[in-house]
Amino acid sequence: MNMSLELLLATPFIGGLLTYIGGKVHRWVRNLIAVLFSLATVGEMAMYYNTTFKGVVWGSLFGSNLVLQTNPITWLFLFIVTAISLLVIVFSIDDMKKEEDEIVLDSYYMQLLFVEGAMVGIVLAGDLITFFMFWEIMSWTSYFLIVHGGKKSMAAGYKYIIMSVIGAYAMFIAIAMLYAKTHSLVYSDVALALSQASPSFIIWTVVLLSVGFFVKAAVMPLHTWLPDAHSEAPSPVSPLLSGVLIKMGAYGLFIVFYGLLSVNLAKNIMPSVFSTPILLYIIQWLAALSIVLATFLAIMQEDAKRLLAYSSVSQIGYVVLGLATGTSLGVAGGLFHALNHAIFKGLLFLAVGAVIYRTGTRNMSELGGLVKKMPFTFTALLLGIIALAGVPPLNGFVSKWMIYEALIQKKEVFLLIMAFVGSTGAFLYVYRLIHSLFLGQLPEKYENVKDVPILMQIPIWILALSTIVYGIFPGLAMDVIVKGMKLFGFTPIAYNLFGFPEGTAMGSLTVINIAAVLMTAFVAVFIIFILFPKTRQVSQYDNYASGQELTPDFKYNYSFGFYMSFGRVIKPILSMSIERVYNYWIDAFKIFGDYYMRRIYTGNLETYNSYIVIVVTIAAAAVLLGGKLW
Amino acid sequence: MVSTILIAICVPLLAFAIGLTFIMFKLKITARVQRRYGPPIIQPIYNLLKLLLKEDNISHGVIFSLGPIIALAGSILAVFFIPIPGLNLLTGSGDLIALLYIMAIGSLGMALGAGNTANPNASIGISRALTLMFGYDLPLVIIVISVILQYHTTNLADIVAAQANGHWTLWTLPLSAIVGFVVTYGALGEHPFDIITAPHEVATGPMVEYGGKHLGFLMINHMFHIYIEIALFVDLFLGGASNLFWFYIKMFGVFFIMMLCDEVFLRFKIDDAVRFFWKWPTVVALISLIIVLVK
Amino acid sequence: MEKMTQDQVRTIANMLRKRSLWMIHYCTGCGAMELPPTMTSRYDMSRLGLAPFVTSRQADILLITGYLNVKTLRRVITVYEQMLDPKYVIGFGSCALNGGVYWDSYAVIKQLDRYIPADLYIAGCMPRPEAIITAFQDLMDLIDSGKADGYKRYKRDLAYYKENQRKVLG
Ligand code: SF4
């Protein structure tokens, strides 16, 4: 029993190593080991689900204990991590077949399992050192995963790792500051120390930690790595990155603000706006800006995966916005949205991956009409976009509803407006996605496309069904979330299996009624519809074109620049780009660096020789003086 | 139980009937403004039944046929969430915010069906429809928030109840009401916002390939749509009503003014329509919101 | 019994159809010039339940407004085939009837109902709005009595029509 957390943590890592070795035997051995070990992780997770472990010490470093712990929130995130990883690995088996080089594949599966293990470690961590260690493992292994995606992914991965490292430095400084103060980095000790520390110290550490999490969660203005990395990564990796990895940033924020620092403490040391501590208020604004701007950008994309990547930036904005409200309803909404986003964004990336698998392109204007060829993938993707757009009765709606209600309660109207606008904008880009991929004209070259193999269907459909289950029964997730939030000192919100009774928020919600009436209405209308004369199927070329006859070689479809006219409206906003600011600084650094580098690395052998002489002299002097240079 | 089921059947029929009469009046009003005699008053019924009884119907695929059905089912769902005098069937199961999203189901169904035709006119129509929706959504959200803050609830039935005895939102928040009118008008897609179906540019946009019973169902959906938009406006700003008669009179009044506006305007370009919505209605709505916040 | 109800349905349907005729805006020749006055306030054809519509899927009547040259014929046939049953065709003006002033032109087809079945012709070059409205009323009578069966003829004699079409279109 005592070893259970260590076992849970070790399983993916052991699995990763065994996978690599298994790959030397045969590729099926490797695939089997990978699936089995990720399945085992899910199994262990399910076995201990909702049991609370307090402070399992698994080692010590610098005199600080390394601790693993769990609480209901942990289990929520563990559930996301292990479940999505398993689905991703199952999906990879067929999808990565196109990769010729078996050695590359061996390391691919190993890295997948390592990322999973690292994320399990982050969530289980009970102290900042463990947290940071696994955080770094996650960054590096996910970097290797990203660069599997072909030539362009190299640059994307490079950008990702540079920004991650900057974030990690910020975190590291904060952790070092805390260590200097407390000499123990277990969460409870840190929380205790912070409650007695000076306000400026608290603000510095919290801000530095947040920077690290913001990079990973891709909150604007630190999001620039995400669209590149998530769209260039191999298709099974994208759901892992978008669905799960960026949630680690949100989890980190949750731990910092509600685990290490409590809302009451935050309120005491800094001024409040709309009864939110100002730091959280600023974070809310950043999140809201992410929502709106990323939505605008997603609308203008031509690349299916890039569209989804920008949409991730926007949706993680909701998560952070909810978490930063500081009220029970808002934080619960943020956590629930983290789960929901993992489900539907995983689903969307996998479904788009399935299309890429069959057609080999993710350029939306080259695709179209696939609904006739891939009806199952279409249905799953349809559920995904409905959930993403936040239309009842699917899951995205409930969590967004909670966040809206929380903002209304706090009267933070401007943030609320931005959140609303972002979600209406989501309609635009999700429709663009489904229209360009599945509706419209089927190009002649995809006449023979089939639906994807069963091993790729299963993960897609598990996620698709989850959107319905969590949409109609939000109580399933709220059980865990509310229980966990009680531990962090929130007043529990009232909920039931089907939604929220009156008194929770300013309105009430019962999703099952919505779903039931919708289904009844649908069936009734459908019956009336088929009572009338029959319909006859016509080909896509038998189409109104002012009498013109259409032929297959003619592209009679509107899919490029779908929202061109809208682009004209938001042109002034699109022309602003934080990336250009970064590039400006990068260039400045380059010039600066070049100038001084050339002074040192002159390329002249004599200079280098003299350096060696100087260094050796100093070293010798140091030894001679007994290690006492000054 | 039986009475609940009866009511559940009657409410959509009522909404349909109201929408139908509005369409009837619309044809007649248009004709009279243009100094024509106009078609017989029950012309829409002829049109509808003729479409439904067409001997031949074509389909471009399953989604093409499901589109109108989903649209109509979504509209019927939305009808249940709007308080009608004496009947608040589902207002407890979802509030104003939920309603805003439920109203999107209808458009989504129609968009899916139209997309499946592979006709560029339909796609452009949908692109315009969604863009226009994005346009009027910003002022709409702002006024909805101001109404919510005014009454401290998101429950539509409570909002209606709070306006009893003539304390209409129209009097307490006149600016919001004006913007609400413009937004409702835009959502109905009449001139100058008829960019979506513009017959001369995109050949009725999303409906381009629809004929026969499919078009008939879309017409029914349009009637529901008119009912939903105007009933929501009446509930939010004109205090709902105590009985069906007054409810109808209020709705008809709003609709009548809208039809008169419809006759005098030309057509916006789509980006100009969005710019329009993001300029004056938004500014006025923000002023109104700030008034509520400060109060 | 079954047959009787079917007959009744057909009678009712015909009654409805004749009261709601949507015509497609498809102007082939100069005769189309007379349609705007027919539509607008002066003659107001909407009194009869007629309305102009845009696409072939939505329309019931196809008006061949005048001369029909070979190039246009191809489009007209496509439009006609895309329209949903029941559908009616009106030949408009002398050109559609027998070639009219273009009786010896190489580019114009002479007799419309060799290519698509016409239910009714309006004579005149060009017919006045009064004549057009009378023609619509006649068409309604035909529909009511079930005699406007051009679309059935087209299906029955498809080979004949296709043969003629192929001769001119090649
Ligand atoms: S009949 Fe006369 S008016 Fe009509 S198309 Fe021929 S020439 Fe023109």
Side-chain angles (χ1 to χ4, degrees):
Chain A
M1 186 73 185
N2 243 352
M3 286 300 286
S4 48
L5 281 192
E6 284 95 326
L7 195 65
L8 176 56
L9 181 55
T11 312
F13 285 106
I14 298 171
L17 290 176
L18 283 182
T19 311
Y20 190 77
I21 298 165
K24 303 290 172 234
V25 181
H26 192 264
R27 62 191 173 88
W28 277 110
V29 177
R30 175 195 66 208
N31 295 349
L32 197 67
I33 294 177
V35 173
L36 279 184
F37 270 85
S38 52
L39 199 63
T41 323
V42 175
E44 281 163 38
M45 192 272 309
M47 205 151 64
Y48 304 121
Y49 195 71
N50 250 339
T51 39
T52 309
F53 295 87
K54 278 219 174 73
V56 181
V57 180
W58 68 285
S60 84
L61 198 67
F62 309 130
S64 168
N65 278 340
L66 301 182
V67 177
L68 299 180
Q69 48 105 39
T70 64
N71 57 47
I73 303 293
T74 324
W75 288 115
L76 177 76
F77 278 91
L78 276 181
F79 173 65
I80 300 175
V81 169
T82 52
I84 302 277
S85 303
L86 172 65
L87 299 180
V88 162
I89 287 175
V90 173
F91 189 87
S92 302
I93 293 174
D94 268 332
D95 190 73
M96 295 303 280
K97 260 187 194 155
K98 57 182 183 286
E99 175 72 66
E100 304 283 300
D101 196 347
E102 287 294 327
I103 299 176
V104 173
L105 269 187
D106 293 345
S107 55
Y108 167 81
Y109 284 102
M110 182 175 77
Q111 286 148 8
L112 264 184
L113 280 161
F114 275 12
V115 171
E116 179 185 358
M119 289 193 289
V120 169
I122 290 172
V123 177
L124 283 181
D127 66 310
L128 285 172
I129 295 183
T130 317
F131 189 95
F132 189 72
M133 266 165 51
F134 285 111
W135 185 267
E136 283 301 277
I137 297 177
M138 176 182 81
S139 295
W140 285 99
T141 42
S142 54
Y143 164 70
F144 290 127
L145 276 178
I146 289 170
V147 298
H148 273 295
K151 272 208 189 90
K152 269 196 197 156
S153 66
M154 285 291 182
Y158 194 58
K159 203 164 165 186
Y160 164 69
I161 199 65
I162 293 288
M163 292 194 67
S164 288
V165 165
I166 292 173
Y169 273 136
M171 269 171 75
F172 189 73
I173 294 170
I175 292 173
M177 280 163 69
L178 282 169
Y179 181 73
K181 201 165 184 76
T182 61
H183 293 287
S184 163
L185 289 171
V186 182
Y187 290 159
S188 49
D189 296 339
V190 174
L192 196 69
L194 277 183
S195 63
Q196 292 144 4
S198 67
S200 68
F201 178 81
I202 295 177
I203 289 176
W204 272 113
T205 45
V206 168
V207 166
L208 283 171
L209 282 173
S210 304
V211 168
F213 299 138
F214 273 18
V215 170
K216 202 54 54 145
V219 176
M220 283 196 179
L222 300 173
H223 69 285
T224 51
W225 62 272
L226 187 142
D228 291 336
H230 286 202
S231 57
E232 297 302 336
S235 21
V237 176
S238 304
L240 194 66
L241 296 178
S242 243
V244 190
L245 198 132
I246 57 175
K247 299 294 152 38
M248 291 300 120
Y251 176 74
L253 281 179
F254 179 79
I255 289 293
V256 168
F257 278 100
Y258 305 118
L260 305 185
L261 190 78
S262 66
V263 180
N264 289 335
L265 175 62
K267 270 184 193 156
N268 286 341
I269 58 165
M270 48 186 125
S272 291
V273 191
F274 286 109
S275 71
T276 316
I278 187 133
L279 205 57
L280 282 173
Y281 191 67
I282 293 171
I283 292 178
Q284 279 188 326
W285 268 96
L286 290 178
L289 281 176
S290 295
I291 292 174
V292 174
L293 296 179
T295 302
F296 283 166
L297 285 165
I299 291 171
M300 303 315 296
Q301 297 307 315
E302 290 296 331
D303 176 332
K305 280 178 80 177
R306 227 177 146 73
L307 183 152
L308 287 179
Y310 272 114
S311 142
S312 284
V313 179
S314 153
Q315 297 297 318
I316 200 77
Y318 284 97
V319 177
V320 175
L321 181 60
L323 286 181
T325 51
T327 60
S328 302
L329 193 62
V331 176
L335 289 173
F336 191 23
H337 201 67
L339 170 68
N340 289 339
H341 180 245
I343 292 172
F344 61 67
K345 193 49 68 64
L347 166 61
L348 289 176
F349 265 119
L350 287 183
V352 170
V355 171
I356 297 171
Y357 176 73
R358 280 303 188 208
T359 61
T361 178
R362 53 177 209 246
N363 187 349
M364 287 196 279
S365 52
E366 281 174 34
L367 294 161
L370 289 172
V371 59
K372 299 185 189 89
K373 304 291 166 192
M374 308 173 74
F376 290 105
T377 316
F378 167 79
T379 318
L381 187 105
L382 179 61
L383 289 174
I385 68 161
I386 294 176
L388 192 153
V391 173
L394 296 191
N395 62 359
F397 166 70
V398 186
S399 42
K400 275 188 189 172
W401 184 86
M402 290 164 73
I403 296 169
Y404 296 151
E405 293 280 350
L407 289 173
I408 294 176
Q409 277 177 345
K410 300 189 77 179
K411 296 198 174 180
E412 295 183 353
V413 285
F414 296 105
L415 296 169
L416 181 59
I417 292 168
M418 291 166 94
F420 258 119
V421 166
S423 126
T424 313
F427 278 109
L428 272 71
Y429 64 73
V430 295
Y431 183 72
R432 170 81 209 271
L433 182 73
I434 198 162
H435 175 271
S436 306
L437 257 51
F438 287 99
L439 305 176
Q441 183 189 4
L442 181 72
E444 224 187 347
K445 56 183 166 183
Y446 301 133
E447 243 358 288
N448 299 321
V449 164
K450 286 199 299 287
D451 223 326
V452 285
I454 188 79
L455 271 184
M456 293 168 81
Q457 296 267 350
I458 292 171
I460 293 179
W461 273 96
I462 289 176
L463 290 171
L465 293 179
S466 320
T467 61
I468 301 176
V469 170
Y470 282 105
I472 297 181
F473 308 108
L476 289 180
M478 294 316 293
D479 275 340
V480 187
I481 292 171
V482 170
K483 215 191 285 173
M485 282 174 48
K486 243 189 265 175
L487 292 180
F488 287 89
F490 287 100
T491 47
I493 56 174
Y495 69 94
N496 53 36
L497 184 58
F498 304 117
F500 302 89
E502 228 141 321
T504 315
M506 298 182 93
S508 51
L509 183 71
T510 313
V511 192
I512 190 141
N513 285 355
I514 300 177
V517 175
L518 181 62
M519 269 332 283
T520 322
F522 180 82
V523 170
V525 176
F526 186 78
I527 290 172
I528 297 174
F529 185 80
I530 53 174
L531 284 182
F532 288 107
K534 280 204 184 59
T535 49
R536 150 176 78 89
Q537 197 76 24
V538 295
S539 98
Q540 61 175 341
Y541 301 111
D542 184 3
N543 217 325
Y544 169 78
S546 309
Q548 184 67 278
E549 279 171 50
L550 298 173
T551 44
D553 56 333
F554 187 71
K555 185 166 159 53
Y556 189 60
N557 196 9
Y558 177 63
S559 61
F560 183 77
F562 203 73
Y563 295 114
M564 212 127 61
S565 44
F566 182 68
R568 281 200 293 275
V569 181
I570 56 169
K571 209 174 186 177
I573 300 172
L574 287 183
S575 61
M576 294 185 292
S577 156
I578 190 75
E579 193 139 22
R580 257 195 287 164
V581 180
Y582 292 157
N583 284 343
Y584 176 81
W585 282 103
I586 290 172
D587 287 347
F589 264 120
K590 261 190 201 150
I591 294 167
F592 177 82
D594 253 15
Y595 185 77
Y596 284 97
M597 289 289 250
R598 283 287 151 240
R599 290 288 168 279
I600 299 167
Y601 295 101
T602 52
N604 187 347
L605 201 63
E606 281 130 49
T607 335
Y608 293 147
N609 278 339
S610 59
Y611 290 157
I612 294 172
V613 171
I614 292 169
V615 169
V616 168
T617 326
I618 292 175
V623 172
L624 286 178
L625 296 174
K628 289 198 191 82
L629 254 188
W630 47 83
Chain B
M1 188 62 205
V2 177
S3 67
T4 325
I5 292 175
L6 266 181
I7 291 173
I9 294 171
C10 284
V11 169
L13 288 181
L14 182 77
F16 170 66
I18 293 179
L20 185 64
T21 54
F22 280 4
I23 298 260
M24 290 174 180
F25 287 125
K26 178 186 173 182
L27 290 182
K28 213 61 186 173
I29 294 169
T30 314
R32 300 312 300 180
V33 173
Q34 295 172 351
R35 302 209 176 172
R36 286 188 286 122
Y37 180 74
I41 189 93
I42 54 170
Q43 182 66 36
I45 300 181
Y46 292 148
N47 291 349
L48 186 59
L49 289 177
K50 175 206 72 177
L51 282 174
L52 293 177
L53 289 176
K54 275 267 185 189
E55 284 168 17
D56 183 22
N57 293 298
I58 59 106
S59 162
H60 276 279
V62 182
I63 302 299
F64 178 88
S65 304
L66 281 184
I69 302 179
I70 299 175
L72 194 48
S75 297
I76 291 177
L77 175 64
V79 164
F80 284 111
F81 283 86
I82 297 175
I84 306 173
L87 296 172
N88 303 331
L89 270 184
L90 281 178
T91 36
S93 303
D95 52 6
L96 187 50
I97 297 176
L99 178 62
L100 289 183
Y101 282 93
I102 287 169
M103 277 157 62
I105 299 179
S107 340
L108 186 74
M110 180 148 165
L112 286 175
N116 201 14
T117 59
N119 194 308
N121 291 312
S123 306
I124 293 173
I126 293 295
S127 152
R128 290 177 175 193
L130 291 170
T131 311
L132 186 68
M133 188 176 93
F134 201 15
Y136 68 69
D137 200 69
L138 178 62
L140 172 69
V141 163
I142 301 175
I143 57 162
V144 163
I145 295 172
S146 58
V147 170
I148 290 174
L149 287 185
Q150 170 93 344
Y151 298 114
H152 298 291
T153 177
T154 56
N155 190 331
L156 255 175
D158 293 348
I159 291 178
V160 173
Q163 299 177 52
N165 303 328
H167 295 296
W168 295 0
T169 325
L170 177 63
W171 313 131
T172 48
L173 287 176
L175 291 180
S176 284
I178 292 168
V179 177
F181 182 82
V182 176
V183 167
T184 313
Y185 187 68
L188 282 184
E190 302 293 353
H191 291 95
F193 304 112
D194 65 335
I195 327 157
I196 303 162
T197 52
H200 319 96
E201 298 168 25
V202 288
T204 65
M207 271 106 74
V208 60
E209 273 290 296
Y210 279 109
K213 64 173 176 178
H214 297 82
L215 189 61
F217 271 69
L218 285 181
M219 271 180 74
I220 299 176
N221 183 40
H222 183 57
M223 292 164 192
F224 274 105
H225 184 62
I226 291 180
Y227 168 81
I228 293 167
E229 295 289 347
I230 297 183
L232 184 63
F233 179 79
V234 168
D235 275 341
L236 281 183
F237 295 105
L238 302 183
S242 51
N243 58 36
L244 267 179
F245 176 72
W246 278 111
F247 194 58
Y248 188 80
I249 295 291
K250 278 180 187 174
M251 283 180 66
F252 185 74
V254 175
F255 186 73
F256 188 72
I257 300 174
M258 283 181 177
M259 281 309 107
L260 294 186
C261 298
D262 181 32
E263 294 307 322
V264 292
F265 287 113
L266 300 174
R267 190 181 299 138
F268 263 135
K269 233 168 64 184
I270 179 68
D271 33 347
D272 288 340
V274 176
R275 278 195 201 106
F276 166 76
F277 275 121
W278 286 3
K279 214 180 273 167
W280 295 116
T282 306
V283 170
V284 176
L286 276 177
I287 293 172
S288 173
L289 178 64
I290 289 168
I291 291 175
V292 177
L293 265 184
V294 172
K295 213 159 48 178
Chain C
M1 181 64 201
E2 178 108 309
K3 195 163 180 327
M4 238 173 75
T5 41
Q6 258 186 12
D7 279 352
Q8 274 163 355
V9 168
R10 196 167 302 134
T11 324
I12 294 170
N14 280 340
M15 198 192 80
L16 292 163
R17 275 167 200 153
K18 77 167 193 187
R19 285 188 164 79
S20 153
L21 287 171
W22 292 352
M23 59 175 213
I24 181 166
H25 254 317
Y26 195 80
C27 306
T28 54
C30 39
M33 220 46 240
E34 288 299 317
L35 279 177
T38 322
M39 278 183 236
T40 45
S41 309
R42 179 75 184 262
Y43 293 98
D44 188 18
M45 72 181 187
S46 74
R47 283 174 301 147
L48 305 176
L50 286 146
F53 261 73
V54 192
T55 79
S56 37
R57 302 287 188 200
Q58 300 161 349
D60 307 305
I61 321 178
L62 177 60
L63 285 179
I64 307 296
T65 53
Y67 58 82
L68 192 58
N69 59 31
V70 177
K71 253 185 170 174
T72 324
L73 179 64
R74 198 190 292 275
R75 274 80 184 171
V76 165
I77 291 166
T78 317
V79 168
Y80 181 70
E81 285 178 351
Q82 278 179 353
M83 285 165 65
L84 304 179
D85 297 348
K87 49 194 173 187
Y88 315 103
V89 178
I90 294 184
F92 198 102
S94 337
C95 283
L97 201 53
N98 56 14
V101 287
Y102 301 100
W103 62 276
D104 59 350
S105 164
Y106 65 93
V108 174
I109 60 146
K110 308 297 175 309
Q111 202 184 334
L112 175 66
D113 60 7
R114 284 169 59 87
Y115 309 97
I116 52 173
D119 291 293
L120 198 78
Y121 284 105
I122 312 174
C125 175
M126 42 190 65
R128 301 242 333 131
E130 291 92 333
I132 299 173
I133 287 182
T134 316
F136 282 137
Q137 274 166 339
D138 287 350
L139 180 69
M140 287 174 190
D141 290 342
L142 286 178
I143 295 172
D144 211 9
S145 56
K147 280 184 199 140
D149 55 354
Y151 64 100
K152 286 182 194 153
R153 267 184 285 139
Y154 189 71
K155 265 187 206 154
R156 197 183 58 212
D157 305 335
L158 193 63
Y160 165 76
Y161 287 112
K162 284 284 164 204
E163 175 67 30
N164 287 342
Q165 288 166 10
R166 210 180 48 244
K167 264 184 207 152
V168 286
L169 297 176

